[in-house]
Amino acid sequence: MKKGFQVFLAVALVAAMAVPAMAETGINGFYRAKGFVSNFKAFGSGNHVNSSPADVAPANSYVEQRLRLKFSVGEENVKAVAFFEQDMMWGDSSGQSGTRNAGGAIQGDSINIETKNIYLWFKVPDTGTDFTVGLQSVTDPYRGTFMGGADMAGVVSIFKFEPLSFRVGGFTPWERTTNQADDTQLFIAEAKIAPVKDLNVGLNFYFIRDGADALGAASGEINAANNAAQFLGGNQVVAGVTKIYMPGVNFDFNAGVAKVSGFGFVQFGDRVFDSGAPKTKFGGYAADLRVDANAGPVKVFLEGLYTSGDKPGTSDKIEGVVVAEDFKMQSSSSNAYAMDLLILTTNGDDLNTARGLIYSTNNNRVQAGYAMNGVRLGSTLLAAGATMKLGDKMTGKVGAGYLRANELAPAALTGTNLNVSKKMGTEVNANVNYNIMKGLDFGLYGAYAWLGDGYKVSGSPEPDNLYDAHFRLNYAF
């Protein structure tokens, strides 16, 4: 591992020295280590909500780390960017070749550097138009509810026609073959305008075409002709073409004492099967409202998010909102990171052990028997938090959240009762962070979640409530 990184760094430095004198070079990123004691967060897959007869949820204890390096070279109007990542758990394995998130055991020596982004950015001379071409990170204007930090290959352009500014782009999240007919494609068009002072409004339109069966037949109780297509993404089962149209709006308004922001979007379209089976209609929607305010020295927020779910018993309509993760765009790429919850949902600060009672905003995967057969239960998420300075170098934060499904599951899931109850959990969390020096911070984090009735199965012991305690050491450069 050490030798490999030295060679990698040497090549990067030689390349940086070899570029023309006028070119600018830069390296930035972060190193982050987190140490956990938790009965929920863990390495590997499996059931992380305990429902065993013994009713003893084991405590997991481990340290994980991540290094991200972003290299850029270019001039004022053009830059080439490469973004790399290396993850590991202390003591996990060594001498690995091509294994992700490993190499922390004695001797290390693993080939484990991941490519996050590689793209070219350039600005058209004498215009306000720029382009980003290649593998890049993309987030929607809906706080990541549809896609947040999704790494995809494509082209994005940002330009202005006063008083409007635009972002348009096209991506290929999944390519089964080089035949365009069986690709998954995403096209985005966003416009922003400030109709009055302190008010910004975004008008957006997305289009998804899936010919790669990346989405699958998303209904959990689909009719008999198509029941072979029940799965949660990832496997080609039934050939067909899905087209989803997604108009939406987002806004933010600075009211002086508070900032109010929100969004809403709907989805419509259909999936046509090559077999001639009846088509499936789409009708999902989502909405969000958030208030941020200053109460003296304390910064507070209150946010609510609603995503529609698939109704049990329907076979010809998907009423649950479809999100990026459903199209293999990226695991956990549809999120509610702005709520800063640690157990109910995944968190934007997660490294390798990203765990949440739900993995995506449409609630298509549930911890404890989370093979959902493509069913989207939808979610209602409520969160609140307060942050304040505790000194020149220390900051504290407390938060709380509530989670429920919006539809019942069509059948019992292993370790859950979500076909009877929609209640999933309630969380409280807190953290304190200390700035050691410029760029270097140390923090202590804790969270506790009471599981809802959706995890309490009749005739079985109640599962343990969940906790997460960890430290965080972060150096940003």
Side-chain angles (χ1 to χ4, degrees), residues 217 219-230 238 273 275 277-278 314-316:
S219 175
E221 294 189 354
I222 206 158
N223 57 50
N226 297 319
N227 59 14
Q230 294 185 28
V238 172
F273 296 95
S275 65
T314 58
S315 61
D316 59 352

mmCIF file of all heavy atoms in Angstrom, residues 217 219-230 238 273 275 277-278 314-316:
data_model
loop_
_atom_site.group_PDB
_atom_site.id
_atom_site.type_symbol
_atom_site.label_atom_id
_atom_site.label_comp_id
_atom_site.label_asym_id
_atom_site.label_seq_id
_atom_site.Cartn_x
_atom_site.Cartn_y
_atom_site.Cartn_z
ATOM 1 N N ALA A 217 -39.387 -3.954 -12.827
ATOM 2 C CA ALA A 217 -40.834 -3.803 -12.843
ATOM 3 C C ALA A 217 -41.359 -3.314 -11.523
ATOM 4 O O ALA A 217 -42.278 -3.814 -11.000
ATOM 5 C CB ALA A 217 -41.489 -5.123 -13.203
ATOM 6 N N SER A 219 -43.247 -2.699 -9.241
ATOM 7 C CA SER A 219 -44.390 -2.939 -8.366
ATOM 8 C C SER A 219 -44.253 -4.266 -7.649
ATOM 9 O O SER A 219 -43.914 -5.268 -8.236
ATOM 10 C CB SER A 219 -45.696 -2.937 -9.167
ATOM 11 O OG SER A 219 -46.768 -3.269 -8.332
ATOM 12 N N GLY A 220 -44.538 -4.261 -6.346
ATOM 13 C CA GLY A 220 -44.379 -5.472 -5.556
ATOM 14 C C GLY A 220 -45.505 -6.467 -5.760
ATOM 15 O O GLY A 220 -45.376 -7.626 -5.402
ATOM 16 N N GLU A 221 -46.637 -5.998 -6.306
ATOM 17 C CA GLU A 221 -47.737 -6.927 -6.546
ATOM 18 C C GLU A 221 -48.160 -6.835 -8.007
ATOM 19 O O GLU A 221 -49.317 -6.661 -8.348
ATOM 20 C CB GLU A 221 -48.903 -6.610 -5.607
ATOM 21 C CG GLU A 221 -48.557 -6.854 -4.156
ATOM 22 C CD GLU A 221 -49.767 -6.761 -3.251
ATOM 23 O OE1 GLU A 221 -50.856 -6.396 -3.727
ATOM 24 O OE2 GLU A 221 -49.630 -7.054 -2.063
ATOM 25 N N ILE A 222 -47.150 -6.929 -8.893
ATOM 26 C CA ILE A 222 -47.408 -6.794 -10.322
ATOM 27 C C ILE A 222 -48.179 -8.016 -10.804
ATOM 28 O O ILE A 222 -48.140 -9.080 -10.189
ATOM 29 C CB ILE A 222 -46.078 -6.631 -11.067
ATOM 30 C CG1 ILE A 222 -46.284 -5.883 -12.373
ATOM 31 C CG2 ILE A 222 -45.394 -7.934 -11.316
ATOM 32 C CD1 ILE A 222 -45.037 -5.230 -12.881
ATOM 33 N N ASN A 223 -48.885 -7.896 -11.929
ATOM 34 C CA ASN A 223 -49.743 -8.992 -12.366
ATOM 35 C C ASN A 223 -48.936 -10.221 -12.763
ATOM 36 O O ASN A 223 -47.734 -10.168 -12.974
ATOM 37 C CB ASN A 223 -50.652 -8.526 -13.524
ATOM 38 C CG ASN A 223 -49.845 -7.996 -14.690
ATOM 39 O OD1 ASN A 223 -48.918 -8.644 -15.150
ATOM 40 N ND2 ASN A 223 -50.208 -6.806 -15.156
ATOM 41 N N ALA A 224 -49.627 -11.337 -12.877
ATOM 42 C CA ALA A 224 -48.963 -12.631 -13.064
ATOM 43 C C ALA A 224 -48.106 -12.665 -14.317
ATOM 44 O O ALA A 224 -47.078 -13.339 -14.360
ATOM 45 C CB ALA A 224 -50.009 -13.742 -13.113
ATOM 46 N N ALA A 225 -48.491 -11.931 -15.355
ATOM 47 C CA ALA A 225 -47.722 -11.968 -16.594
ATOM 48 C C ALA A 225 -46.326 -11.404 -16.419
ATOM 49 O O ALA A 225 -45.416 -11.726 -17.176
ATOM 50 C CB ALA A 225 -48.452 -11.181 -17.682
ATOM 51 N N ASN A 226 -46.150 -10.563 -15.394
ATOM 52 C CA ASN A 226 -44.861 -9.907 -15.211
ATOM 53 C C ASN A 226 -44.231 -10.194 -13.862
ATOM 54 O O ASN A 226 -43.272 -9.546 -13.472
ATOM 55 C CB ASN A 226 -45.026 -8.386 -15.350
ATOM 56 C CG ASN A 226 -45.494 -7.991 -16.723
ATOM 57 O OD1 ASN A 226 -45.031 -8.555 -17.718
ATOM 58 N ND2 ASN A 226 -46.415 -7.065 -16.794
ATOM 59 N N ASN A 227 -44.752 -11.163 -13.106
ATOM 60 C CA ASN A 227 -44.240 -11.339 -11.756
ATOM 61 C C ASN A 227 -42.795 -11.806 -11.740
ATOM 62 O O ASN A 227 -42.118 -11.713 -10.721
ATOM 63 C CB ASN A 227 -45.128 -12.275 -10.931
ATOM 64 C CG ASN A 227 -45.248 -13.664 -11.552
ATOM 65 O OD1 ASN A 227 -44.485 -14.018 -12.441
ATOM 66 N ND2 ASN A 227 -46.219 -14.422 -11.080
ATOM 67 N N ALA A 228 -42.269 -12.281 -12.852
ATOM 68 C CA ALA A 228 -40.849 -12.648 -12.905
ATOM 69 C C ALA A 228 -39.962 -11.420 -12.843
ATOM 70 O O ALA A 228 -38.756 -11.526 -12.625
ATOM 71 C CB ALA A 228 -40.553 -13.424 -14.180
ATOM 72 N N ALA A 229 -40.534 -10.254 -13.025
ATOM 73 C CA ALA A 229 -39.728 -9.035 -13.052
ATOM 74 C C ALA A 229 -39.624 -8.365 -11.702
ATOM 75 O O ALA A 229 -39.085 -7.274 -11.585
ATOM 76 C CB ALA A 229 -40.335 -8.039 -14.046
ATOM 77 N N GLN A 230 -40.138 -8.988 -10.641
ATOM 78 C CA GLN A 230 -40.086 -8.371 -9.323
ATOM 79 C C GLN A 230 -38.675 -8.442 -8.770
ATOM 80 O O GLN A 230 -38.171 -9.504 -8.461
ATOM 81 C CB GLN A 230 -41.040 -9.084 -8.368
ATOM 82 C CG GLN A 230 -42.507 -8.916 -8.747
ATOM 83 C CD GLN A 230 -43.410 -9.535 -7.711
ATOM 84 O OE1 GLN A 230 -43.039 -9.609 -6.556
ATOM 85 N NE2 GLN A 230 -44.583 -9.969 -8.121
ATOM 86 N N VAL A 238 -37.020 -8.654 -17.475
ATOM 87 C CA VAL A 238 -38.009 -8.530 -18.531
ATOM 88 C C VAL A 238 -37.643 -7.339 -19.397
ATOM 89 O O VAL A 238 -37.402 -6.242 -18.887
ATOM 90 C CB VAL A 238 -39.423 -8.343 -17.945
ATOM 91 C CG1 VAL A 238 -40.409 -8.025 -19.051
ATOM 92 C CG2 VAL A 238 -39.853 -9.607 -17.213
ATOM 93 N N PHE A 273 -43.695 -3.189 -22.002
ATOM 94 C CA PHE A 273 -42.961 -4.453 -22.042
ATOM 95 C C PHE A 273 -42.939 -5.018 -23.465
ATOM 96 O O PHE A 273 -43.954 -4.998 -24.169
ATOM 97 C CB PHE A 273 -43.594 -5.468 -21.087
ATOM 98 C CG PHE A 273 -43.512 -5.067 -19.648
ATOM 99 C CD1 PHE A 273 -44.566 -4.404 -19.042
ATOM 100 C CD2 PHE A 273 -42.368 -5.328 -18.909
ATOM 101 C CE1 PHE A 273 -44.492 -4.020 -17.709
ATOM 102 C CE2 PHE A 273 -42.293 -4.957 -17.579
ATOM 103 C CZ PHE A 273 -43.350 -4.305 -16.979
ATOM 104 N N SER A 275 -42.913 -7.984 -24.226
ATOM 105 C CA SER A 275 -43.747 -9.184 -24.268
ATOM 106 C C SER A 275 -45.183 -8.882 -24.654
ATOM 107 O O SER A 275 -45.968 -9.789 -24.937
ATOM 108 C CB SER A 275 -43.735 -9.865 -22.901
ATOM 109 O OG SER A 275 -44.353 -9.018 -21.930
ATOM 110 N N ALA A 277 -47.204 -7.438 -22.526
ATOM 111 C CA ALA A 277 -47.955 -7.378 -21.271
ATOM 112 C C ALA A 277 -48.461 -5.959 -21.044
ATOM 113 O O ALA A 277 -47.912 -4.998 -21.576
ATOM 114 C CB ALA A 277 -47.061 -7.823 -20.122
ATOM 115 N N PRO A 278 -49.534 -5.808 -20.258
ATOM 116 C CA PRO A 278 -50.080 -4.465 -20.006
ATOM 117 C C PRO A 278 -49.018 -3.519 -19.462
ATOM 118 O O PRO A 278 -48.204 -3.894 -18.627
ATOM 119 C CB PRO A 278 -51.175 -4.728 -18.959
ATOM 120 C CG PRO A 278 -51.567 -6.154 -19.169
ATOM 121 C CD PRO A 278 -50.309 -6.861 -19.584
ATOM 122 N N THR A 314 -52.132 -2.737 -6.182
ATOM 123 C CA THR A 314 -52.155 -2.179 -7.527
ATOM 124 C C THR A 314 -51.158 -2.928 -8.398
ATOM 125 O O THR A 314 -50.047 -3.240 -7.969
ATOM 126 C CB THR A 314 -51.805 -0.688 -7.503
ATOM 127 O OG1 THR A 314 -50.515 -0.520 -6.919
ATOM 128 C CG2 THR A 314 -52.822 0.093 -6.688
ATOM 129 N N SER A 315 -51.541 -3.215 -9.619
ATOM 130 C CA SER A 315 -50.664 -3.973 -10.513
ATOM 131 C C SER A 315 -50.317 -3.222 -11.788
ATOM 132 O O SER A 315 -49.485 -3.672 -12.560
ATOM 133 C CB SER A 315 -51.326 -5.307 -10.894
ATOM 134 O OG SER A 315 -52.546 -5.076 -11.570
ATOM 135 N N ASP A 316 -50.968 -2.092 -12.023
ATOM 136 C CA ASP A 316 -50.738 -1.399 -13.281
ATOM 137 C C ASP A 316 -50.246 0.033 -13.096
ATOM 138 O O ASP A 316 -50.148 0.780 -14.060
ATOM 139 C CB ASP A 316 -52.020 -1.375 -14.112
ATOM 140 C CG ASP A 316 -53.176 -0.675 -13.392
ATOM 141 O OD1 ASP A 316 -53.017 -0.358 -12.194
ATOM 142 O OD2 ASP A 316 -54.223 -0.461 -14.023
#
